[in-house]
């Protein structure tokens, strides 16, 4: 139990009883998921249905779009229960500027961007706010399915000389674009999240775990090289 808590809040009223700092911190986490789950479905999944090479792949892309929109609605329900009014006021993360132009590009978003989501959601599975913790635990099977889909398709595409270089270039670009997903290295928000037990990991610890897992994917599973990256963001130079 974090020092700031004597017991874990089990509903919105209990969260508000802890004060504005706790509710504001929850709002930042929940609001980010409200925006980014919808953005992922709209920017990555929906456009990729028409790019899918087989009816089964189209069905799977539809399924993942449906699940991502479902996640958006469930996080939005949490926001409404807490009385949060500004969760839609900010834009989604910059990784959603990535343009999916091919089936290979889409597959790599699931293998890499959704893996970043898994890393963050695993941390929230131990969150002190019980409704958020329970929601994240319930969504993990779907998030892991999305990553598993991307990983399995990436292995097939990387084994094909015709698509191997596109797998590599998409992966390198997406990894670089996803690093800011975890937040700034020197983050007061993250300090507050850890103070209240909303998160356990620092932003750099979560980013390093993402790098570890994507390195294993590219180097061990796909036999590709890994881009030069830093686990701090923004990168500082002396």
């Amino acid at each position: 139990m974090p020092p700031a808590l004597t017991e874990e809040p089990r509903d919105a009223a209990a969260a508000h009883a802890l004060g504005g700092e706790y509710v504001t911190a929850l709002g930042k986490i929940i609001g980010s998921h409200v925006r980014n789950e919808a953005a992922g479905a709209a920017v990555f999944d929906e456009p990729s249905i028409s790019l899918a090479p087989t009816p089964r792949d189209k069905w799977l892309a539809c399924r993942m779009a449906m699940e991502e929109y479902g996640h958006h609605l469930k996080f939005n329900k949490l926001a409404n229960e807490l009385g949060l009014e500004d969760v839609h006021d900010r834009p989604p993360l910059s990784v959603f500027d990535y343009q999916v132009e091919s089936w290979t590009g889409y597959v790599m978003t699931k293998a890499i961007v959704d893996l970043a989501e898994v890393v963050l959601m695993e941390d929230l599975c131990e969150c002190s706010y019980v409704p958020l913790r329970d929601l994240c635990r319930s969504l993990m099977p779907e998030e892991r399915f999305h990553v598993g889909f991307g990983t399995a398709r990436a292995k097939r595409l990387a084994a094909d000389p015709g698509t191997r270089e596109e797998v590599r270039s998409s992966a390198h670009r997406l990894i670089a674009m996803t690093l800011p997903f975890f937040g700034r290295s020197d983050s007061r928000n993250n300090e507050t999240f850890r103070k209240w037990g909303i998160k356990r990991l620092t932003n750099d610890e979560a980013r390093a775990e993402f790098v570890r897992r994507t390195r294993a994917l590219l180097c061990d599973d796909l036999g590709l090289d890994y881009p030069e990256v830093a686990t701090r963001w923004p990168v500082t130079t002396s």
Side-chain angles (χ1 to χ4, degrees), residues 12-13 15-16 23 27 30 76-87 129:
H16 279 282
V23 174
I30 294 170
N76 199 53
K77 182 174 182 289
L78 277 190
N80 290 336
E81 289 171 354
L82 283 164
L84 305 174
E85 298 179 350
D86 59 350
V87 294
Y129 185 51

Side-chain angles (χ1 to χ4, degrees), residues 34-55:
V34 169
R35 296 186 296 274
N36 294 322
E37 295 285 0
V43 175
F44 294 160
D45 298 308
E46 280 195 77
S48 300
I49 296 168
S50 63
L51 299 171
T54 69

Side-chain angles (χ1 to χ4, degrees), residues 93 120 178-187 189-190 193 199 202-207 231-234:
L93 295 172
L120 291 176
T178 306
L179 292 176
F181 194 98
F182 298 91
R184 291 179 173 271
S185 296
D186 301 315
S187 169
N189 283 334
N190 181 265
F193 300 151
K199 285 188 174 186
T202 68
N203 291 341
D204 282 351
E205 287 171 340
R207 193 168 12 250
T231 55
R232 288 188 60 81
W233 185 82

Side-chain angles (χ1 to χ4, degrees), residues 20-120:
E21 184 178 71
Y22 187 72
V23 174
T24 297
L26 284 175
K28 289 176 180 178
I29 297 289
I30 294 170
S32 176
H33 282 274
V34 169
R35 296 186 296 274
N36 294 322
E37 295 285 0
V43 175
F44 294 160
D45 298 308
E46 280 195 77
S48 300
I49 296 168
S50 63
L51 299 171
T54 69
R56 178 172 176 78
D57 285 325
K58 291 182 185 294
W59 171 70
L60 287 170
C62 288
R63 171 183 166 176
M64 288 184 283
M66 178 188 71
E67 289 173 349
E68 297 288 15
Y69 278 124
H71 298 180
H72 160 80
L73 293 173
K74 290 173 182 178
F75 279 107
N76 199 53
K77 182 174 182 289
L78 277 190
N80 290 336
E81 289 171 354
L82 283 164
L84 305 174
E85 298 179 350
D86 59 350
V87 294
H88 301 281
D89 290 351
R90 299 181 62 185
L93 295 172
S94 59
V95 69
F96 298 109
D97 293 337
Y98 180 81
Q99 297 294 309
V100 175
E101 298 176 345
S102 69
W103 180 246
T104 298
Y106 173 63
V107 163
M108 299 316 295
T109 68
K110 307 314 285 182
I112 291 172
V113 181
D114 282 38
L115 181 56
E117 177 66 7
V118 164
V119 170
L120 291 176

Side-chain angles (χ1 to χ4, degrees), residues 173-231:
R173 184 180 175 198
L174 281 165
I175 288 168
M177 293 183 72
T178 306
L179 292 176
F181 194 98
F182 298 91
R184 291 179 173 271
S185 296
D186 301 315
S187 169
R188 291 186 179 179
N189 283 334
N190 181 265
E191 291 177 5
T192 303
F193 300 151
R194 288 184 289 117
K195 167 187 171 182
W196 288 102
I198 298 169
K199 285 188 174 186
R200 296 168 302 143
L201 300 178
T202 68
N203 291 341
D204 282 351
E205 287 171 340
R207 193 168 12 250
E209 178 62 14
F210 167 76
V211 168
R212 185 189 70 78
R213 295 191 198 186
T214 51
R215 188 183 298 277
L217 170 65
L218 262 66
C219 301
D220 299 341
D221 297 340
L222 306 183
L224 299 171
D225 65 319
Y226 197 81
E228 292 187 13
V229 298
T231 55

